[in-house]
Amino acid sequence: MFNRNRGLRQVAAIASISSLAGGCGVLSSDSSDDAGPIVVGTTSAPSTLDPAASWDGSWELFRNIYQTLLAYPNGATTPRPDAAESCAFTDRSNQTYRCELRADMEFSDGHPLDARAVKYSIDRIKAIKAPSGPAGLLGSLDRVQALGEREVVFHLNQPDATFPFVLATPAMSIVDPEDYPARSLREDGEVSGSGPYALKSYEEGEKAELVGNKSYKGFAKRENDAVTIRYFQDSSSMVEALRDQRIDVTYRGLAADDVVSLESDKDEDLQLVEGSGTDISYLVFNPKDPWANKRAVRRAVAQLVDRAAIAHKVYKDTVDPLYSMVPKGLTGHTTGFFDDFGNPSTSKARQILSEAGITERVPLTLWYTTDRYGSETALQFQELKRQLDDSGLFTITLKSRPWKTYRGGYEKGEYPVFGRGWFPDFPDADNFIAPFVGKENALGTPYPAPKITDVLLPHSRGESNRADVEKDFEEAQQILVDDARLLPLWQGRQYVAASADISGAERALDPSTIMTVWHLYRKTSW
């Protein structure tokens, strides 16, 4: 079901949210083009311009140039209507979801955006089923109906209260049926969307020029007329561009050293916005490996790993130790691994192994990718090796590959233990558990967990009030702790670095930590 490719990356910046937010009351926004477009730098370049092909960082661009039925207005933690005027389940079982579109909607090319276009957009995702695409998000969708010009009805094959969250992902962007083939991807490099911006020009791997879409109808209030997004290969070149005032804002891609450097500079021309993040890093144990499939081995590793040391020594405290797969800030978060294992302890780990009859040093090979989750990844695995080797209980070998071949390796079950990162599709505990369990999952390694897949997740998806599912997710996470098949390491923080004359950065990251560039503007009065 799950076949996602969305990367986990670090971001960073310089001044506090409170100081920025406190100053916004005396500033005014200016949407004039006198100073040119606001220039945003990122290392997260799109892999495609077609939403049917993307389950990755391309969503950053999509959120601003396409439109979804629902999205997240500033301050919202649950989806609200955007292209839609209203949306709701119409039955008690959460299997029929109805949306009514805003009146007189249009794409940026002037073609009508109606219920037929919405149905067409969702149907083509399932029809194309691109290997790197988001069809896996639509597992609970049976069919879509377009009733008249403005009514769309989604019929689900099972209760699923998380379906509105799915519709709010940029993967479900609405496209123009006149320009996007029904059963193949659009390949002309053009975009026909209905978002706050239209794509004026695009140079792959270089830049995207966005201009205000005058036909946009939705909740977004655009505070600028134009934004240019520049794509960088690495953090250092992006930071240099920020210091040289060739870009105004950075997001996604700043290494921990750059965060610390920018923060210590006390440069009055730069500012820092820091917020909580929901991206996580974790280890996966492969049940096909003769050592990793032993519960005692996995639990001994869990007993030894020092998350605080990784956060401090490797990431310079730009991340936080994590003790459950569901991160802090979401309903259902626990500290299960700390509750069960406590502080790192060699004596307790030795006891776990000896009780299972394991007395020799355990050989394990840990794999990581060299080019997916930031330059600190290699250092993180070196620290893990040091911790496990120094216990005298393990002999660790490290191996790595570029992401292009790394992913294929873990999907084939080649790695005994491997590192992964997860950037959520939507901000709900479901998205930190469901993708990792079952026969087909995002890990490529089957993880039968019938109590989770057959009982707890179906029950939780029947609850529209997500606050009522806390016990389900707590129980699911305790199962994960007991198995120790997945070992959470840290939770990221989100930062945005910007020039001092840029405002709105404190509102620019939505709950799924995607930047909504319409919030950015230049300060014009003090």
Side-chain angles (χ1 to χ4, degrees), residues 258-430:
D258 288 316
V259 178
V260 174
S261 173
L262 287 166
E263 193 168 22
S264 62
D265 279 352
K266 307 300 181 185
D267 190 334
E268 294 183 357
D269 293 330
L270 297 175
Q271 56 174 306
L272 170 73
V273 177
E274 178 182 338
S276 60
T278 51
D279 51 312
I280 68 171
S281 176
Y282 60 99
L283 294 179
V284 183
F285 291 84
N286 184 356
K288 295 181 180 179
D289 181 78
W291 284 108
N293 75 349
K294 298 181 184 299
R295 181 172 177 268
V297 169
R298 301 193 300 265
R299 290 177 64 82
V301 172
Q303 183 63 71
L304 290 169
V305 168
D306 189 340
R307 296 167 175 82
I310 294 172
H312 180 68
K313 294 168 65 174
V314 177
Y315 290 95
K316 313 297 175 61
D317 297 318
T318 61
V319 303
D320 296 306
L322 183 63
Y323 297 94
S324 72
M325 289 300 288
V326 177
K328 290 178 291 186
L330 295 183
T331 297
H333 167 71
T334 70
T335 54
F337 276 92
F338 186 83
D339 297 340
D340 279 27
F341 295 98
N343 292 318
S345 171
T346 297
S347 61
K348 290 181 180 179
R350 181 178 289 109
Q351 182 178 353
I352 291 171
L353 292 173
S354 63
E355 289 178 352
I358 301 171
T359 57
E360 70 271 33
R361 288 181 73 128
V362 176
L364 278 181
T365 300
L366 274 59
W367 281 82
Y368 63 93
T369 180
T370 57
D371 58 353
R372 187 67 177 177
Y373 305 126
S375 58
E376 296 89 356
T377 304
L379 299 176
Q380 170 177 289
F381 276 80
Q382 290 168 20
E383 174 62 17
L384 285 168
K385 172 179 168 59
R386 185 196 67 76
Q387 293 177 9
L388 298 175
D389 282 347
D390 286 356
S391 72
L393 303 175
F394 289 88
T395 299
I396 301 300
T397 300
L398 296 181
K399 292 188 177 181
S400 62
R401 286 177 176 172
W403 177 257
K404 188 174 182 179
T405 54
Y406 180 78
R407 180 181 177 182
Y410 71 68
E411 288 179 343
K412 294 176 183 177
E414 295 177 1
Y415 311 148
V417 185
F418 58 96
R420 283 296 311 270
W422 186 254
F423 216 123
D425 303 310
F426 50 85
D428 188 274
D430 184 283

Side-chain angles (χ1 to χ4, degrees), residues 70-127:
L70 303 103
Y72 300 93
N74 183 45
T77 56
T78 56
R80 299 287 187 269
D82 187 22
E85 185 173 81
S86 63
C87 287
F89 282 105
T90 60
D91 63 334
R92 293 183 177 180
S93 65
N94 291 334
Q95 287 188 257
T96 305
Y97 194 72
R98 176 187 177 277
C99 290
E100 183 172 353
L101 295 176
R102 296 175 187 265
D104 303 319
M105 296 283 288
E106 290 183 353
F107 291 101
S108 56
D109 58 8
H111 294 160
L113 192 167
D114 53 17
R116 182 182 71 90
V118 175
K119 172 178 166 58
Y120 182 92
S121 301
I122 304 300
D123 284 346
R124 75 184 291 266
I125 292 173
K126 298 185 72 173

Side-chain angles (χ1 to χ4, degrees), residues 477-519:
Q477 287 184 90
Q478 189 57 49
I479 293 172
L480 299 181
V481 172
D482 292 341
D483 289 346
R485 283 271 306 269
L486 306 171
L487 188 63
L489 298 174
W490 53 258
Q491 174 177 352
R493 301 177 190 172
Q494 298 303 319
Y495 304 85
V496 176
S499 300
D501 67 339
I502 295 294
S503 193
E506 73 281 1
R507 300 186 299 278
L509 294 177
D510 76 7
S512 54
T513 63
I514 291 175
M515 178 170 276
T516 50
V517 298
W518 59 80
H519 287 295

Side-chain angles (χ1 to χ4, degrees), residues 139 164 179 188 232 243 290 324 398 424 457 497 519:
D179 299 325
D188 62 0
F232 292 85
R243 295 188 187 281
S324 72
L398 296 181
L457 287 176
H519 287 295

Side-chain angles (χ1 to χ4, degrees), residues 66-69 81-85 101-108 113 150 174 193-197 213-222:
Y66 289 106
Q67 199 172 12
T68 47
L69 287 172
D82 187 22
E85 185 173 81
L101 295 176
R102 296 175 187 265
D104 303 319
M105 296 283 288
E106 290 183 353
F107 291 101
S108 56
L113 192 167
R150 295 175 58 191
I174 305 167
S194 61
Y197 297 89
N213 176 14
K214 295 181 179 179
S215 62
Y216 168 74
K217 290 184 177 180
F219 61 70
K221 179 183 178 183
R222 201 173 56 249

